[in-house]
Amino acid sequence: MTAATVPGIDDAPTTNARLLSWVREVAELTRPDRIVWCDGSDAEWDRVTSQLVEAGTFVKLDEAKKPNSFWAASDPNDVARVEERTFICSVDEADAGVTNNWMAPAEMKSIMTELYRGCMAGRTMYVIPFCMGPITAEKPMLGVEITDSEYVVASMKIMTRMGASVLPLFDGPAGDDFVPALHSVGAPLEPGQQDVPWPCNETKYIVHFPEERLIWSYGSGYGGNALLGKKCYSLRIASAMARDEGWLAEHMLILKLISPEDKTYYVAAAFPSACGKTNLAMLEPTIPGWKVETLGDDIAWMRFGEDGRLYAVNPEYGFFGVAPGTNWKTNPNAMRTIERGNSLFTNVALTDDGDIWWEGMENEPSHATSWKGKDWTPADGEAGEPSSHPNSRYCTPMSQCPVLAPEWDDPKGVPISAIFFGGRRKETIPLVTESRDWQHGTFMGATLSSEKTAAATGGLGQVRRDPMAMLPFIGYNVGDYFQHWINVGKGADADKLPKIFYVNWFRRGEDGRFLWPGFGENSRVLKWAIERLEGKAAAVETAIGYVPTAEAIDMQGLDTPIEDVEAALKVDVEEWKTEIPLIEEWFDKIGAKLPTSMRDELEALKLRLGV
Ligand code: GTP
Ligand code: MN
Ligand code: MN
């Protein structure tokens, strides 16, 4: 790399000096065989996907069934985000707070520099210029991912605006503000060494330097660990930017609701990973006359508009959705989106006729290849060996979604009328609760809890606090994050702020059945919330907030027994009394940085519950 003319550096398609010097520095450290600047073209897609087919990473699906689409199986040890290997390396440890792993930046850099040294040998280093959110934004949010993974290149084409269309922005006014994001699978090749289908390393680090707005990732090739525009940039780094600049970067879907009277409302909703965002975002309402359109299924950036309302933009360009459970009944619009092809499927089953299948999908095949690459039959499924990993994913372009809202690419965003927090709880949390005001809604978000899912490794089913569904994604101190939410509310006109609701689709009866049918039927809850905004729907004031009676919810055509709906809506004071010590424990853990207003809310709740 020290020759006079270096391909990929001296003939790089940009004049941005910061970018060029970073690319040079990374190449000198990681020693790739060659450097390729990604342009995002179809030719590049064909080249990279063919290479992945040849390497055994991808299998091309049947063109008639899923055009231009591929199946991939990861290493069985590289299947989800690795929270215990994720670090916020702020200068001051207190700024990472009690919910993040921390190491001093210099110490982390010296460890990782040694890991990166020569780590791209035998591989191609790809430079992916990308933009999170519309490229027509006043200040486009730029990033550059350097990676040695073709799988990442293909995925980033679906998930972000990238390549030739964004590169000119690096010569514009926001050009030097890009977030550098370095990724390596950590699997250098000796000359002549045969590659494996899914290169990765047992040692993994997913690291953020919030002050420098810098991301370093090593050892994993999967999802949020490797597609660095997503969780790393758009949540962890962006949340730190948002704190400094007075906006919000949140783990939220964005949807548009159109009433029978043709009134439009935009709502955002934060549920922890694998708790229903993608499903709700593409919902097909079961109540007549109501329509839903999608703007985003995972991340929302919300800034105040000139009119004082909070406007949301989805920084992403594709959906990276949980596959199992997705079917023509639960999420028909996701099924239609992937049917149009141009998609990647990771850790699902490959059918013998060149299509994909996963648990919960219609038409179970009598034989398939499992995500572990083994022969699979329904008998294996019955014996507890699923065909697909519970965190298997489809990666598909948003533009293919048949209910995509026409304004999805508008840099102004959409004005949010309501925010929903929600988690996966068997007990205690009612189907829906309306907060009293912004501070109380912030308290609901701050105390949000959920049973752990397969989207992160370890501890399946345990109840944990997941504030605003952001526990793994807050890029700074959680106490400061709550204070930031309070400040956002204080700085705004209360009438223009979104109303905050708390939902739980997952409450169960004694026999373990879901009390609420969920999915398309959730439109009934959305309708109640909208009618609350309009001052039209009834609610009962309870210790925890405003809760509808079963009669206040539109039950027409719903075949769930009314007793179940009542049980789903119940505010059980005894259950809440057992919740209080858990909230206290959580607040004690946050310690001195917990805003006093959150303590005040807890004390007021205790008083109302009589504890
Ligand atoms: P990430 O993409 O990981 O952030 O998760 P997500 O919030 O988008 O999760 P997703 O919508 O993919 O939901 C995944 C799981 O929740 C699947 O097992 C679904 O079947 C289940 N689910 C979603 N909505 C509902 C619902 O309304 N009721 C019930 N019972 N299950 C639901
Ligand atoms: Mn998510
Ligand atoms: Mn999702």
Side-chain angles (χ1 to χ4, degrees):
M1 287 297 152
T2 46
T5 335
V6 184
I9 293 196
D10 296 301
D11 58 356
T14 182
T15 56
N16 183 309
R18 181 183 177 219
L19 177 51
L20 283 170
S21 89
W22 180 59
V23 169
R24 178 178 292 116
E25 185 191 314
V26 171
E28 276 168 9
L29 176 64
T30 61
R31 302 267 148 191
D33 279 10
R34 64 197 79 76
I35 301 170
V36 170
W37 288 71
C38 295
D39 61 11
S41 64
D42 291 342
E44 179 177 270
W45 167 269
D46 291 341
R47 204 159 54 237
V48 167
T49 54
S50 304
Q51 233 173 298
L52 284 159
V53 168
E54 211 164 294
T57 315
F58 275 3
V59 172
K60 190 171 187 330
L61 298 176
D62 184 276
E63 195 59 26
K65 298 196 169 77
K66 297 280 182 302
N68 193 28
S69 297
F70 301 86
W71 173 86
S74 77
D75 184 292
N77 296 313
D78 195 17
V79 294
R81 287 183 292 100
V82 282
E83 293 180 6
E84 66 289 356
R85 306 299 305 159
T86 301
F87 292 79
I88 301 296
C89 293
S90 44
V91 171
D92 182 351
E93 181 171 7
D95 288 332
V98 295
T99 57
N100 288 306
N101 300 308
W102 178 85
M103 199 189 284
E107 191 186 346
M108 180 61 86
K109 281 189 178 170
S110 89
I111 293 173
M112 291 190 75
T113 298
E114 288 322 304
L115 293 171
Y116 281 136
R117 198 177 299 285
C119 73
M120 294 190 187
R123 297 192 183 276
T124 303
M125 178 177 124
Y126 296 92
V127 183
I128 312 171
F130 65 89
C131 180
M132 299 315 292
I135 61 174
T136 50
E138 202 177 315
K139 184 182 177 294
M141 301 290 277
L142 302 178
V144 178
E145 178 159 354
I146 292 183
T147 180
D148 53 8
S149 160
E150 282 82 15
Y151 174 87
V152 167
V153 173
S155 303
M156 286 291 281
K157 176 172 162 69
I158 297 173
M159 294 305 297
T160 67
R161 296 144 173 104
M162 54 79 85
S165 62
V166 308
L167 199 57
L169 299 173
F170 286 78
D171 295 319
D176 278 346
D177 288 341
F178 71 89
V179 171
L182 172 55
H183 171 252
S184 172
V185 293
L189 293 168
E190 303 283 338
Q193 186 186 340
Q194 177 67 37
D195 201 2
V196 294
W198 189 274
C200 61
N201 196 302
E202 263 178 55
T203 302
K204 294 178 172 59
Y205 281 98
I206 318 299
V207 178
H208 311 73
F209 302 96
E211 287 92 353
E212 284 179 83
R213 317 284 199 229
L214 171 69
I215 302 161
W216 281 10
S217 165
Y218 178 89
S220 169
Y222 196 67
N225 302 327
L227 312 179
L228 303 184
K230 194 175 179 55
K231 306 301 191 182
C232 297
Y233 182 152
S234 295
L235 289 176
R236 298 196 191 95
I237 294 293
S239 65
M241 293 174 170
R243 169 202 54 190
D244 297 346
E245 299 166 7
W247 50 283
L248 294 166
E250 299 296 329
H251 192 203
M252 290 181 183
L253 66 91
I254 310 167
L255 70 78
K256 175 182 176 185
L257 198 60
I258 306 161
S259 76
E261 296 78 39
D262 236 15
K263 277 197 80 173
T264 292
Y265 307 85
Y266 298 97
V267 311
F271 312 149
S273 293
C275 291
K277 286 184 301 302
T278 300
N279 279 275
L280 191 70
M282 298 179 211
L283 169 111
E284 242 180 18
T286 51
I287 38 177
W290 289 77
K291 251 182 71 182
V292 162
E293 290 176 354
T294 308
L295 289 115
D297 80 322
D298 199 51
I299 300 176
W301 285 351
M302 297 188 285
R303 296 179 172 90
F304 286 103
E306 276 162 21
D307 60 0
R309 296 189 67 189
L310 207 47
Y311 283 74
V313 161
N314 171 14
E316 299 192 281
Y317 203 53
F319 302 128
F320 188 69
V322 176
T326 307
N327 62 45
W328 288 98
K329 267 193 96 151
T330 57
N331 197 344
N333 288 318
M335 297 300 281
R336 291 180 192 118
T337 308
I338 61 176
E339 265 203 335
R340 297 182 177 181
N342 312 306
S343 302
L344 308 178
F345 300 89
T346 309
N347 291 342
V348 304
L350 175 66
T351 64
D352 297 350
D353 58 356
D355 204 348
I356 41 87
W357 189 80
W358 49 69
E359 276 64 32
M361 198 198 283
E362 291 83 359
N363 304 322
E364 183 176 35
S366 57
H367 177 268
T369 304
S370 79
W371 75 279
K372 290 180 178 165
K374 293 191 188 136
D375 280 319
W376 184 92
T377 66
D380 294 307
E382 279 154 37
E385 181 72 30
S387 72
S388 307
H389 187 275
N391 189 41
S392 53
R393 301 266 170 167
Y394 56 82
C395 178
T396 192
M398 245 170 78
S399 59
Q400 295 182 180
C401 178
V403 294
L404 192 66
E407 59 275 45
W408 70 283
D409 195 31
D410 185 343
K412 213 170 93 218
V414 294
I416 299 296
S417 298
I419 290 175
F420 291 79
F421 291 120
R424 183 184 284 266
R425 288 292 303 267
K426 287 198 233 344
E427 56 336 73
T428 318
I429 312 295
L431 178 62
V432 58
T433 312
E434 180 193 333
S435 64
R436 295 155 196 282
D437 52 30
W438 182 265
Q439 178 174 302
H440 181 228
T442 301
F443 174 77
M444 284 178 168
T447 56
L448 186 86
S449 56
S450 197
E451 294 150 22
K452 261 192 100 173
T453 66
T457 50
L460 210 69
Q462 268 170 33
V463 172
R464 68 169 182 182
R465 297 296 127 182
D466 193 339
M468 284 79 172
M470 281 283 283
L471 180 67
F473 308 123
I474 304 169
Y476 58 103
N477 187 294
V478 62
D480 292 337
Y481 171 75
F482 293 165
Q483 188 60 52
H484 180 57
W485 265 81
I486 299 291
N487 295 348
V488 162
K490 280 202 181 124
D493 181 343
D495 296 338
K496 291 181 178 169
L497 280 171
K499 261 215 175 289
I500 299 177
F501 297 83
Y502 190 176
V503 297
N504 178 21
W505 315 137
F506 300 93
R507 205 169 184 183
R508 293 179 190 251
E510 324 70 55
D511 61 351
R513 75 183 184 287
F514 287 116
L515 291 167
W516 178 251
F519 303 103
E521 306 292 8
N522 293 335
S523 55
R524 300 172 191 276
V525 174
L526 295 180
K527 179 184 171 188
W528 177 79
I530 294 304
E531 288 177 348
R532 287 294 293 169
L533 305 181
E534 299 281 5
K536 286 197 271 191
V540 181
E541 187 171 0
T542 75
I544 61 165
Y546 299 96
V547 176
T549 58
E551 294 74 47
I553 290 188
D554 184 346
M555 300 270 280
Q556 228 176 72
L558 182 71
D559 47 23
T560 305
I562 183 127
E563 304 79 61
D564 277 13
V565 178
E566 279 166 353
L569 287 167
K570 186 168 182 221
V571 179
D572 186 322
V573 172
E574 290 315 306
E575 283 183 349
W576 271 96
K577 283 181 178 167
T578 61
E579 191 75 5
I580 295 296
L582 302 175
I583 296 176
E584 282 176 330
E585 190 186 323
W586 164 232
F587 279 2
D588 288 347
K589 185 178 161 189
I590 297 171
K593 287 233 185 197
L594 181 77
T596 47
S597 55
M598 292 294 97
R599 280 267 178 226
D600 296 345
E601 286 292 334
L602 176 58
E603 290 312 312
L605 173 61
K606 283 163 71 176
L607 214 62
R608 292 193 299 265
L609 286 169
V611 292

